[in-house]
Amino acid sequence: MSPTYSRKQVAEHKQAENGWFIINNGVYDVSKFYDEHPGGRDVLIANIGADATESFEAVHHSKSALRRLEQLKVGELPENESRCFISMKKVAEHISANSAWMVIHNKVYDLTKFLDLHPGGRDILLYSAGGDATQAFMDKGHSDSAHRMMEKYFIGDIEPSERRSIIHRKDTSNEGGADKQTTHVKSDKDSLLRHVQQQLKVLIILALFLSAAILLLR
């Protein structure tokens, strides 16, 4: 069993000579890896003493890089400080007004209690429930206060193997011609497919009901 280190203990290793950081609940000592790192030592030093999961996952890593990472592992976070990982299969089970979950930027939110508070109405949330709503969330645009409010509904992170990449690309269509960063996230068709399937079920039930009514009237 791997030794456990608290986030506070990891934070104490923020000097270059004994740099540790966290990736997906694992604790890694990267102090002897700086000069080997293909991206340079600075990107590692910028994350020591903290949780580097998001920075790590923002860049694609090869299988050999992941194996090398495991060699640097010194322990795990204790259970009470670990991030909770949730599968997309589990999220897909929560598609009703009684339990509405969705994924935004690889984070899982339980929005059941927010349905009737949403300024845009509950239907738009239920439409995306059970799937990845990142693209819809980004397309709509939300204020800083909306982003902060989301945190109270956060319940966990998507399993590392199921996370989607966020791709940054330049948009030169603005009037000044200056480049600006826009975020494009792989679109998820599951919500649309699920919505169509639900509508088909309703139509089938109605057709059966009408057929039965016609037979009774004869």
Side-chain angles (χ1 to χ4, degrees):
M1 185 176 179
S2 299
T4 58
Y5 298 97
S6 67
R7 290 181 182 273
K8 183 178 180 181
Q9 287 176 302
V10 174
E12 293 171 355
H13 291 262
K14 58 183 179 181
Q15 304 301 321
E17 60 271 17
N18 67 349
W20 290 11
F21 57 47
I22 300 162
I23 296 176
N24 289 327
N25 296 334
V27 179
Y28 300 87
D29 179 353
V30 294
S31 57
K32 296 180 180 179
F33 182 63
Y34 300 137
D35 295 329
E36 292 181 49
H37 187 238
R41 58 188 289 128
D42 290 345
V43 69
L44 295 180
I45 292 174
N47 285 285
I48 57 176
D51 193 322
T53 302
E54 292 187 5
S55 297
F56 179 80
E57 293 185 344
V59 179
H60 173 73
H61 291 83
S62 65
K63 290 182 179 179
S64 61
L66 296 177
R67 287 194 295 270
R68 182 69 179 101
L69 178 67
E70 284 306 301
Q71 295 172 358
L72 303 175
K73 191 171 185 177
V74 294
E76 300 271 353
L77 289 176
E79 187 174 349
N80 65 324
E81 293 188 16
S82 297
R83 300 169 73 174
C84 173
F85 295 135
I86 302 171
S87 69
M88 284 301 301
K89 182 179 179 180
K90 183 68 175 177
V91 174
E93 295 172 359
H94 298 265
I95 60 174
S96 71
N98 294 323
S99 183
W101 293 11
M102 67 178 61
V103 178
I104 298 174
H105 291 315
N106 295 322
K107 295 182 180 295
V108 183
Y109 298 89
D110 180 354
L111 299 178
T112 311
K113 295 181 179 179
F114 182 64
L115 293 176
D116 293 326
L117 300 176
H118 186 238
R122 61 160 39 200
D123 289 346
I124 193 170
L125 294 181
L126 288 173
Y127 178 79
S128 297
D132 192 321
T134 303
Q135 188 67 60
F137 183 82
M138 293 297 297
D139 288 346
K140 187 66 177 178
H142 290 81
S143 65
D144 290 341
S145 60
H147 281 267
R148 288 192 297 271
M149 184 173 58
M150 285 172 59
E151 291 308 309
K152 70 169 69 174
Y153 302 105
F154 171 74
I155 57 173
D157 296 279
I158 282 297
E159 289 281 359
S161 62
E162 296 184 299
R163 291 177 190 167
R164 295 175 178 273
S165 300
I166 298 174
I167 305 167
H168 295 281
R169 58 185 172 84
K170 289 185 177 180
D171 180 7
T172 56
S173 61
N174 53 316
E175 293 181 359
D179 291 340
K180 66 178 181 180
Q181 291 288 332
T182 60
T183 305
H184 173 69
V185 185
K186 290 181 180 179
S187 60
D188 192 305
K189 303 299 182 186
D190 292 344
S191 295
L192 178 59
L193 178 60
R194 193 162 42 251
H195 180 72
V196 171
Q197 289 173 336
Q198 289 173 345
Q199 295 302 313
L200 285 173
K201 287 179 182 178
V202 172
L203 290 173
I204 291 170
I205 292 171
L206 286 174
L208 291 172
F209 178 79
L210 289 172
S211 297
I214 291 170
L215 289 173
L216 289 172
L217 291 172
R218 286 182 177 178

